[in-house]
Amino acid sequence: MLQEEEDLSLTIAHIVQKLKGSRLYSQLERQAWVSLQKPEIKLESLKEDIKEFFKISGWEKKLQNAVYSELTVFPLPRHPAAPPEHLKEPLVYMRKAQGSWEKRILKSLNSMCTELSIPLARKRPVVEQKELLNKWNEMGTDEPDLSLFRPVYAPKDFLEVLINLRNPNYENGDHLNLKTHLGLIQVPLKVKYISELKEFFIELSLNTGQLGIDDATQVPPELFENEHVRLGQKVLAEQDSAAAQQYIRQGSPTALRAELWALILNVSNQPEDLLYYEQLKSNVIQHDLLVDSLIYKDVKLTASNDDYYFVFEDYLYQVLLCFSRDTSVLGHFAYNSASPPKSYIRGVIPFHGFSMYVAPLCFLYHEPSKLYQIFREMYVRFFFRLHSISSHPSGIVSLCLLFETLLQTHLPQLFYHLREIGAQPLRISFKWMVRAFSGYLATDQLLLLWDRILGYNSLEILAVLAAAVFAFRAVNLMEVTSLAAAEAVLADLSTLKVMPLLQIFLFATIT
Amino acid sequence: MSKPRNQCAKGHGAPKAKEREGEWDFYWCDVSWLRENFDHTYMDEHVRISHFRNHYELTRKNYMVKNLKRFRKQLERDVGKLEAAKCDFFPKTFELPSDYHLFVEEFRKTPGITWIMKPVARSQGKGIFLFRKLKDIMDWRKDVGRSDDQKDDIPVENYVAQRYIENPYLIGGRKFDLRVYVLVMSYIPLRAWLYRDGFLRFSNTRFTLSSIDDHYVHLTNVAVQKTSPDYDPEKGCKWMIQRFRQYLTSKHGPEAVETLFRDMDNIFIKSLQSVQKVIISDKHCFELYGYDILIDQDLKPWLLEVNASPSLAASSQEDYHLKTCLLEDTLHIVDMETRLTGKEKRVGGFDLMWNDGPVSREEEGIDTPGPGNFVANTHLGCNNDRKKQLRQLFRSLHSQKKVTS
């Protein structure tokens, strides 16, 4: 009992400290001073009256949302004496692996620099600055010579690293037994069983209405859709983050999605945010970073060639170039096993496909500073886990293990067959999970999937979906005899309907 | 990519055009053939041909303008100003040189705006240019004499000057237009079907009014885009209308989108009504039109033009699929095998939009909605589960036939 109380007070102290430095704190302070003018506030019951005032005026709600946001994002310190590395990643071997991966990336980047004799960063001459400012809204028209640049790494390079991860304290034993994991990932992390997943994702069950299933044309809207939309409007009116997160587990109506995501991510359109974005923009104008060319290259190779996202090319530059200079992003490195490189590049090094994290958001947000903020929040809450080595349940290593375990346990024949023909399933599904399925699913389906990521505050659904896709195409996959043929069967996911697949796999398959 | 047309005819099993001259039951003809042969070709009762004799009343810009203006006046006289205002979906257009003076009058009224010059009968974006000063037309008239493509000589008389829409709706900074398919089975009475699928064609470059000489920015026909320097055929400058509808809904909300699509329905109906009495009605004829619509920043749709021979070449896999299904469903409705009863409101991806009167989404007889609750039977940009619908339709038709035979 005492321990729990200690933990709680530690948590509270931690959050209070974090919020004290935030904008919200000064706003609340100001509001409290202003409220003194009001007749309802009496000196005798000052504390109570001000509290009441906050409740009525909606400021309490804002505070609640901020606290909720902190709880969701920031992991709690386990033990007051735990060193900061433990917050990043408790397992030593994982930390080491991440460290050496980072060294490799940086080495590769540096050698590209020396090869091409391009500085990591340089200040732009005034003429160039002016030009860029003029072209800010149409940077896609620029055609810099990027032929010599290569993406620093691609998902499959990262997969090789993960495959070679080993826990030095764990002995697998030489003989195969029922518990032997036949997949590529060979580290003993705890992943959820399907019974635990069913409980975790209880709102996706067959008896609960879902957008993505129960809003199909044959289903009369009175059955579910109308009420769900009404509820969504109510949640937005209340401006309650926690309620929104619960609500969105059943999917978000198209018209409400932009606002709901902003509420859940606690992103509001304050003038300070706009100013911050403008400052980042001016940083971009003044300095040219090597990373910028990598970003250009990535956008040109991926999003620009996508049938549906090519239209948003300009927005992608406006977001990603600013992102690479945003030092507040560094804050997330406290709980990310990764560390920022100790050179001028102060942020995230993009890899092949990175811009696809931003592209679907362009469907919802059209104002660059809002789009930027939403993307930044999504990144520091979720996406960073998809390309750093950690033991977190939503980290990519756990997702891979979860995927392989689900497949091996529930589709053993398929798993074994694919393994025999040299088509380890993870080799195909890895790229889907790393990109959170962006660019592989149809946009409306992708947004329904990302609704659930936000709703459950977890990326595990990506692994479940990947397994569900394999289950769906199992019959065809049993017939293939090579990795290439397996890739072909799973090449086109654009016609898949995400929610029925998830529902069937979780709740309608005999386990 | 093999032509969807051939693919479709093979799949459908309908009697095809025969080798011998004059012996065919169904002809998907070119307008040039029509021009030369229609008047002296005898057609049996069951024969079908894919154009109306004088379709140009709708598809040539100068005729269409005339017919629409006339129809508008008639509406104003017979019904009232409000109804007539529903015809204001066509930007102000003048035929040149016949209406030159009227044009100049209008031009002087609103100085500084941009106008677009289009040849009346050409397609695929050929011969079009923008101008802001009268001086530009003078220069052009002189130039026409020594134009490069003298082979297809269009006499100066056959041009229209149209007010250019300067505030188009932009997505990602790019301008686009919509291609929508309308199938007309007869004009008297007017029976028209609207296809659920369609697509947006994007301009490859960002929209700006400052470079009106940049052909590539302003014209969105795929044919012109294909010659633009940064055209990437793999990229595909098209979006399906479903995607567009979702995009708009998330940006503007469902009501605004419903209004926009209702306004588009209005464009289709009014444009067809305006030529109803002029088109030579012939029970052998039907026609599949490609409507080009532009949307401005106030979410108002404008009619750019109507095509009688919409391109059936495919630029991507998705496009190929759309056009093949479009043709298949057209053949289903033309119904050479007389399988349909004629009472259907939906066949595959086509919804019956007008049947000598508006067609309601509601079932007949069950709580027929009052005038305030009328919802049109159109589903542009909505889910197109045509395969399922066709299966159900033909199964029920088949069982009905069994009962009656």
Side-chain angles (χ1 to χ4, degrees), chain A residues 23 27 268-277:
Chain A
R23 205 182 307 130
Q27 279 174 330
S268 54
N269 245 345
Q270 306 280 357
E272 297 91 16
D273 299 317
L274 199 59
L275 268 175
Y276 189 75
Y277 177 74

Side-chain angles (χ1 to χ4, degrees), chain A residues 349-380:
Chain A
I349 299 181
F351 55 88
H352 181 67
F354 192 82
S355 53
M356 294 304 280
Y357 289 143
V358 191
L361 301 174
C362 298
F363 250 83
L364 300 173
Y365 304 98
H366 314 101
E367 203 266 310
S369 106
K370 189 103 190 260
L371 176 62
Y372 179 76
Q373 281 185 77
I374 297 276
F375 168 64
R376 187 179 57 183
E377 271 310 303
M378 290 290 283
Y379 184 82
V380 301

